[in-house]
Every structure is written in structure tokens, then in C-alpha cells.
Amino acid sequence: GKWIGYCSVADGKLKKIAINGGAPVTLFDAPALSGASWREDNTIVYGQFSGEIMRISANGGTSESLIKAKPGAFAFPQILPDGKSVLYAAETSLGQTKIIVQSLKSAEPKELFAGARARYLPTGHIVYMLSGNIFAVPFDLDRLEVIGGPVPIVEGVRQYAISDSGTLVYIPPESAE
């Protein structure tokens, strides 16, 4: 809660900046970054367009591979509260994006549903984007399974972010003006 992490498009680096102000701190080169999440244990988990999910200390250092490269990109990974599973989006061989959950101990990904930019919330829901709309679906963390149908939250979204407390910010699509 004291830092904001971001990827600098200008120089392709993952950086953090204190919410009180000050100079940005570069953590690492991230030219192929495809989403990241900052964990309470002060680590950052990130996806790469090259198809690998990595973890690094929020203080910088050497990245550790969590899920090895596969065909297609891995995007917006999040280690779930159990500390043993990762939620992420992956491109399928047909060019679609699916939400996947995978145990860090197992090499078997479990496909959940079509969508992108998924995030698990402490309420027991996965919030995700599909066709420019944001949905929430109940999720059983113990069984790593969806346990209900999706509920629309916001229609007409280009990008979004949601905090663990449920604060949602989004960018609407560009107007046709």
C-alpha cells in the first residue's frame, strides 16, 4: 500500500514509485511484460508475451520462473491466496484468450472459461473481461473451480483494474467523435 508499480512504455522497464512521491525506482527490464500483480509478501508476479510466468522481489533482483514457456502469451498472472496456484490468461491455439488456473506443483493447467485480465478477489469471485465487458463469477478456491454463472458488472470497457477491496477503475472505449 506504499508503492505503485507500473511498466514504463517509454523505456520498457518495470518501475515502482512511492505514493508519497519521489523518484521512480527501476526494478528490471520488461520489454515483453504482459501484466503483473504485487503480492503481500513483497513479490511481483508477471507474465511475458514470450509465454512464461515469472516472480521477482519488489526490491528488484533476479526473476524466478514459475510456469515455463508454452506456445502463446501468458498475461496478467496472480498467485491465489493459497500461495500454491496461479490464475492467468493464455492464448489458445485458435487465437482465443482463456482464463486458466494452475497449481505451482503441477504442470497441468485447468481451463476455466473464455476471457482476459482475470483477478481473484477476497469475496471469492474472479473478475474478468470479455468482449469489452467486465464480469464476476463465483470461484471455489479450495477446488479451483467456478461455482456459478457470470454476472455483468460494467459494459463498454477498454481497460480496467480492481483492488482487493473492490475499488474498480476503468477506461471506457474511445468515442467515435
Side-chain angles (χ1 to χ4, degrees):
K2 296 179 182 179
W3 295 90
I4 296 173
Y6 66 97
C7 187
S8 170
V9 177
D11 60 8
K13 297 181 185 305
L14 186 69
K15 299 181 180 187
K16 66 179 183 179
I17 189 164
I19 59 171
N20 299 0
V25 176
T26 298
L27 299 175
F28 63 93
D29 289 337
L33 187 81
S34 62
S37 62
W38 196 323
R39 295 184 28 98
E40 288 183 19
D41 67 359
N42 208 33
T43 60
I44 296 172
V45 177
Y46 62 96
Q48 299 185 104
F49 287 112
S50 61
E52 197 162 7
I53 295 176
M54 308 290 285
R55 174 173 41 201
I56 190 169
S57 167
N59 297 318
T62 303
S63 295
E64 164 194 13
S65 177
L66 295 178
I67 297 177
K68 295 290 183 193
K70 305 224 180 191
F74 289 158
F76 298 94
Q78 176 190 12
I79 293 184
L80 295 175
D82 66 3
K84 301 181 246 175
S85 307
V86 179
L87 180 71
Y88 61 93
E91 286 181 8
T92 67
S93 58
L94 301 174
Q96 300 172 332
T97 304
K98 301 283 184 169
I99 305 302
I100 309 290
V101 66
Q102 183 171 338
S103 165
L104 291 173
K105 295 180 182 180
S106 150
E108 275 308 304
K110 183 177 185 180
E111 187 176 299
L112 299 175
F113 48 81
R117 297 181 175 260
R119 179 157 170 86
Y120 177 82
L121 297 179
T123 60
H125 293 83
I126 294 175
V127 175
Y128 65 99
M129 201 161 125
L130 180 65
S131 301
N133 301 311
I134 300 174
F135 296 88
V137 65
F139 185 73
D140 184 320
L141 191 57
D142 295 325
R143 296 188 336 227
L144 300 179
E145 293 178 0
V146 172
I147 54 173
V151 174
I153 297 176
V154 180
E155 294 180 358
V157 174
R158 186 165 40 131
Q159 288 187 27
Y160 84 98
I162 189 165
S163 71
D164 283 345
S165 67
T167 301
L168 172 73
V169 295
Y170 67 92
I171 300 170
E174 294 183 43
S175 65
E177 296 177 33

